[in-house]
Amino acid sequence: MSVLSSNSVFTSLLQDGPFAVSNDVFNLSHFSVETREWVKSLQQHSTNRAKYRALRSQLFEFLGVDSIDQIESLITNKRLCQERSERALRLLGNMFGINGNLNEIKSRVDEYARTADTVISSLKNKILSPYASYIESTNEIVVTNNPVELLLIMFNNQYHKKARFEARRKVLLMTLAGSIDQRERETDVENKFSAFLVFLNGYVWSPNLKIGELDPVFLHSTHHTEDYCCDSVSVLTPQQAKLVVPVKWEKLTLVKRRSFTVGCKKIPIYVSIRKKPPEAKVLKLLRKNEKNPGVAVDDELGLMAVLDSFSDVKAFQQHLTRSASNAHSLMVLEDISDTLIEHTQYHSRSTGSSEKTAMMKFFARLGGMRVEFIIHTNQTWLNYMYQEDVAHNEYEVKRMFDTGVIELLFPRGIYHLDHLKTRNEMIQFFRKQIES
């Protein structure tokens, strides 16, 4: 479901409805033509009326006021604003289960603010990098981490429309970051990630390897002229790679591999291990149109592995099961999908994904953890990196635009982006990077 739909849980950011940020702040407590038109707009959707009442109640309680008129006194009275800010921090601390004194709660809320800023900067620095000047945040909003001050900016006519929208956006993103932090503390994800690394180093990788020891090799690949899918791939040592000068439709890709041992056979494997950072989880909540990380974020811990052949993939899967048993834990595989076998289509519920994507994907439950595994062969991983309509950078662009997240965070009327045109240009931008 698009976050731009009438049933979006992020209605407060939509710029085509009753919650849109206007050019000037208008006082809803005073009768005017503008107020009458706004009420008429609100009455068109019963859900919006309910959301407005809920938002108003939450806002008044958070600021400690009884009406919109009283908000003006908080804007002009710095001492009163400071008192309400301290009260608000205690409310947030209790809501998100933050233990500690006021300074410790403030420090945690500042982290939420930094995560909110990082969400925007991560988009600006990657999938919207050519449009960085279009979407750059207002300095005053970036340096403001106090949620009360951000809310007051929304009602302060001295601030431009863009700044008032960004204050609202930052508060929403901070709220999502707080929910994610609470979920991580409840599920003890930091310790689980450390335990996962201990499991891999102690039971999975070859025992004669030092922790972090990697063997660099190059994948020399040729690609199809129509869609840049991988036709063939060979593994070269760094010395062999120095003798290769890739021509058009060829790639030389560095990978640094570990290994695991099955019987007397040492099998090389390229591995990428990750704990999804808070800003990535915030973006996933937005894409899924969900505020509950317990529902939307099921891949906090993940491992992507690349092996030379499909037989090595099967050996690795069996090796994982035996390794878990050696670590005194049963390993159960859940939600298995396997499109590594030729002619098998990939069926994903994720917006923007291609049915041409080939991979093995499953969740492994072991040692009190649930870890997402994505397994590739060299050829399917190179397609995941480079193939047209499959490459991960293209997928990132499609899912962020097609779910409506880019338009939600950077509405056209404020940031002057033609979203469809920008989407297509960014896909071509990444294709040019890949094929150059």
Side-chain angles (χ1 to χ4, degrees):
M1 180 193 301
S2 170
V3 293
L4 304 176
S5 69
S6 58
N7 294 321
S8 172
V9 300
F10 303 110
T11 311
S12 61
L13 280 190
L14 296 180
Q15 278 296 102
D16 61 350
F19 300 101
V21 176
S22 56
N23 290 328
D24 296 298
V25 176
F26 62 95
N27 194 332
L28 294 177
S29 64
H30 295 167
F31 180 80
S32 65
V33 174
E34 191 174 28
T35 303
R36 186 172 63 183
E37 290 299 319
W38 181 86
V39 171
K40 186 185 298 184
S41 173
L42 188 67
Q43 292 291 342
Q44 292 176 358
H45 202 295
S46 59
T47 302
N48 283 342
R49 294 198 301 271
K51 288 181 179 179
Y52 169 70
R53 287 192 292 267
L55 286 170
R56 181 181 61 184
S57 176
Q58 292 167 12
L59 175 69
F60 286 0
E61 187 59 40
F62 190 69
L63 295 178
V65 299
D66 297 318
S67 67
I68 290 178
D69 287 338
Q70 294 179 11
I71 293 177
E72 182 65 29
S73 62
L74 292 179
I75 295 174
T76 57
N77 189 328
K78 299 300 180 185
R79 183 189 59 79
L80 184 59
C81 179
Q82 177 63 28
E83 291 177 359
R84 298 297 166 82
S85 294
E86 292 180 1
R87 172 181 175 273
L89 285 174
R90 292 189 178 91
L91 292 175
L92 288 173
N94 287 329
M95 184 175 76
F96 290 124
I98 305 171
N99 296 320
N101 58 35
L102 196 62
N103 286 335
E104 291 170 317
I105 296 173
K106 180 180 181 302
S107 177
R108 190 61 67 97
V109 172
D110 285 346
E111 287 183 19
Y112 302 161
R114 285 190 289 271
T115 297
D117 292 332
T118 304
V119 168
I120 303 303
S121 63
S122 67
L123 296 173
K124 185 182 74 172
N125 295 334
K126 189 178 181 184
I127 71 168
L128 288 172
S129 55
Y131 294 90
S133 59
Y134 282 73
I135 63 174
E136 188 172 6
S137 298
T138 305
N139 291 335
E140 288 78 1
I141 306 304
V142 174
V143 300
T144 303
N145 294 339
N146 184 325
V148 168
E149 292 178 8
L150 288 168
L151 287 172
L152 294 180
I153 287 173
M154 291 162 47
F155 293 91
N156 191 337
N157 216 24
Q158 290 183 328
Y159 285 85
H160 185 264
K161 174 183 179 180
K162 177 176 178 288
R164 287 185 280 111
F165 172 81
E166 289 174 351
R168 180 184 296 188
R169 181 181 70 187
K170 188 167 181 175
V171 169
L172 172 66
L173 297 178
M174 288 173 66
T175 303
L176 296 180
S179 298
I180 288 165
D181 174 61
Q182 182 181 13
R183 168 72 177 175
E184 288 185 348
R185 284 182 278 112
E186 290 172 350
T187 58
D188 198 23
V189 69
E190 286 287 347
N191 287 332
K192 287 180 179 178
F193 183 64
S194 297
F196 182 50
L197 293 178
V198 169
F199 164 69
L200 293 174
N201 288 320
Y203 297 93
V204 177
W205 310 138
S206 296
N208 58 332
L209 291 178
K210 293 183 178 180
I211 294 175
E213 183 178 350
L214 302 171
D215 179 28
V217 297
F218 285 83
L219 301 181
H220 181 213
S221 54
T222 61
H223 296 264
H224 200 277
T225 57
E226 289 185 1
D227 62 359
Y228 223 83
C229 70
C230 181
D231 284 332
S232 64
V233 57
S234 58
V235 180
L236 305 181
T237 66
Q239 292 73 26
Q240 291 171 326
K242 289 179 181 179
L243 304 177
V244 175
V245 180
V247 297
K248 192 174 184 181
W249 313 114
E250 286 187 358
K251 284 285 185 181
L252 203 57
T253 307
L254 172 68
V255 292
K256 297 180 179 181
R257 308 201 289 187
R258 302 172 186 263
S259 66
F260 62 96
T261 303
V262 176
C264 299
K265 185 180 179 182
K266 181 180 175 183
I267 301 176
I269 179 171
Y270 166 64
V271 177
S272 174
I273 304 165
R274 60 126 174 94
K275 179 177 83 71
K276 191 182 285 289
E279 61 271 17
K281 293 181 182 180
V282 170
L283 287 171
K284 184 160 189 176
L285 288 176
L286 292 170
R287 293 197 312 269
K288 298 291 186 181
N289 194 26
E290 178 62 62
K291 291 186 177 181
N292 182 1
V295 172
V297 183
D298 59 354
D299 57 349
E300 291 179 307
L301 303 180
L303 180 149
M304 185 180 72
V306 183
L307 298 108
D308 286 340
S309 65
F310 185 66
S311 61
D312 287 348
V313 170
K314 292 191 290 184
F316 179 60
Q317 192 176 15
Q318 293 169 358
H319 178 65
L320 280 174
T321 303
R322 285 193 297 267
S323 297
S325 180
N326 292 336
H328 310 293
S329 172
L330 181 67
M331 188 175 85
V332 176
L333 304 188
E334 302 172 343
D335 301 335
I336 303 172
S337 64
D338 182 4
T339 54
L340 289 177
I341 303 173
E342 194 174 359
H343 307 307
T344 304
Q345 284 192 330
Y346 175 69
H347 298 286
S348 172
R349 293 168 292 181
S350 299
T351 301
S353 62
S354 170
E355 62 183 21
K356 292 184 286 186
T357 302
M359 66 173 69
M360 177 185 288
K361 183 177 179 181
F362 57 85
F363 285 88
R365 191 178 295 278
L366 74 159
M369 300 171 283
R370 190 172 188 263
V371 183
E372 181 188 51
F373 282 79
I374 294 175
I375 315 294
H376 283 285
T377 62
N378 291 336
Q379 190 167 16
T380 65
W381 181 71
L382 289 168
N383 287 337
Y384 172 79
M385 296 291 290
Y386 303 133
Q387 185 180 352
E388 185 177 333
D389 197 39
V390 173
H392 186 69
N393 283 343
E394 289 185 58
Y395 170 53
E396 283 283 317
V397 172
K398 290 175 185 176
R399 69 179 181 176
M400 294 305 298
F401 277 91
D402 296 353
T403 55
V405 171
I406 296 298
E407 189 168 350
L408 180 77
L409 297 178
F410 309 104
R412 184 192 305 257
I414 294 176
Y415 294 93
H416 311 293
L417 282 177
D418 183 331
H419 292 95
L420 179 59
K421 178 173 177 286
T422 303
R423 172 195 183 274
N424 295 334
E425 286 181 351
M426 289 310 305
I427 290 174
Q428 291 304 312
F429 174 80
F430 285 116
R431 289 294 338 148
K432 186 176 180 180
Q433 281 189 339
I434 288 169
E435 297 178 18
S436 62

